[in-house]
Amino acid sequence: IYEDANALMSALSAGSVDMAGHLTIDQVDTIGTGTYKTLEGTMNLVQAIYLNNQAKPFDNQLVRQALCYAIDRQGIMDMVADGHGTAVGSSIYPAFTKYFLPELVDKYPHSVEKAKELLAQAGYPNGFDMTISVPNNYQPHMDTAEVVAEQLREAGIRVTIQPVEWSTWLDTIYNGRQFQATLVGVDAANMTARAMLERFTSDHAKNFINYSNPAYDALFQQAINATDEATQTDLYKQMETMLADTAANVYIQDLSDLVAMRQDLGGLKFYPIYVLDLSTVYLTQQ
């Protein structure tokens, strides 16, 4: 694990590592095609600006919706990864094919004017200041935050990016819930809609955004008590839609996963969950 991006690039330049994952497009372009080849999968996560729904001004749904209109997902993907990535509109990523609703991506089309209008309705005609905390050990999130900050400023939202160590992020933000907003990716340990959606029920220990919605909680109870799969699937889709309708977070994308691997290695497989199985990797030549 390289916590410093420069150290990782030095190792790749020297050819001292066999493989490196979760690279940025700039890192891939810097490496070139000599020692390494580039493979592309998906990160199988939901990258978003996760908002503390109990912290002002994000306790106001109009403010959260304004942020959704203020961002341009395609613009973010173009700037950060030359267009790589898949836009998402809620807390389900595309590998969950049975539950993923691509139409939610279009719920908040990019509109600075609409964002400003909603901010005025919410009592913030001149915008406001906010801090986005970002784990500094993951460059794609840091790069995304820079683009997001510029886009939000166009709507009058003045952003300070706060890089934090991963251990600090876990202690203070994820567990302590002491933050305004954070830009990260959330995944699931197993391929179930429940794993992605239960975390936003009001009393769940992993509900780090403090989302509290009795209607959402009721849908979840119906889903886990459903006796047939079709009914349960529909209820999970309703929960997914409700997260988008209430702008629980500002959803961005499922990041592409760019992997540099030595030219003489093969067999790497990408899976629909956040794992890397090296047992399939083999040497192609001596």
Side-chain angles (χ1 to χ4, degrees), residues 200-223:
F200 301 115
T201 53
S202 300
D203 58 355
H204 198 275
K206 294 182 179 180
N207 181 17
F208 70 105
I209 69 166
N210 293 311
Y211 185 69
S212 182
N213 185 339
Y216 185 86
D217 298 343
L219 283 175
F220 176 70
Q221 287 302 317
Q222 292 177 50

Side-chain angles (χ1 to χ4, degrees), residues 112-132:
V112 174
E113 293 74 19
K114 182 66 174 178
K116 289 181 177 179
E117 177 186 325
L118 290 176
L119 288 175
Q121 290 179 27
Y124 298 93
N126 300 315
F128 56 87
D129 298 317
M130 67 175 289
T131 299
I132 301 179

Side-chain angles (χ1 to χ4, degrees), residues 107-236:
K107 183 167 186 60
Y108 301 100
H110 177 55
S111 173
V112 174
E113 293 74 19
K114 182 66 174 178
K116 289 181 177 179
E117 177 186 325
L118 290 176
L119 288 175
Q121 290 179 27
Y124 298 93
N126 300 315
F128 56 87
D129 298 317
M130 67 175 289
T131 299
I132 301 179
S133 304
V134 189
N136 64 0
N137 64 320
Y138 191 55
Q139 195 61 41
H141 292 328
M142 292 293 297
D143 291 346
T144 301
E146 293 288 348
V147 180
V148 163
E150 289 302 315
Q151 292 182 351
L152 293 181
R153 287 184 187 115
E154 292 182 13
I157 302 168
R158 298 168 294 276
V159 177
T160 298
I161 297 173
Q162 179 188 47
V164 296
E165 299 289 335
W166 179 242
S167 59
T168 301
W169 187 90
L170 288 173
D171 291 341
T172 304
I173 296 173
Y174 190 70
N175 292 319
R177 306 186 186 185
Q178 300 300 309
F179 73 104
Q180 264 197 312
T182 183
L183 199 152
V184 292
V186 170
D187 63 352
N190 52 62
M191 283 292 290
T192 65
R194 176 171 180 167
M196 291 297 289
L197 299 175
E198 183 178 12
R199 69 167 59 244
F200 301 115
T201 53
S202 300
D203 58 355
H204 198 275
K206 294 182 179 180
N207 181 17
F208 70 105
I209 69 166
N210 293 311
Y211 185 69
S212 182
N213 185 339
Y216 185 86
D217 298 343
L219 283 175
F220 176 70
Q221 287 302 317
Q222 292 177 50
I224 62 175
N225 292 328
T227 56
D228 67 275
E229 185 178 7
T231 299
Q232 186 180 69
T233 298
D234 180 67
L235 287 163
Y236 282 139

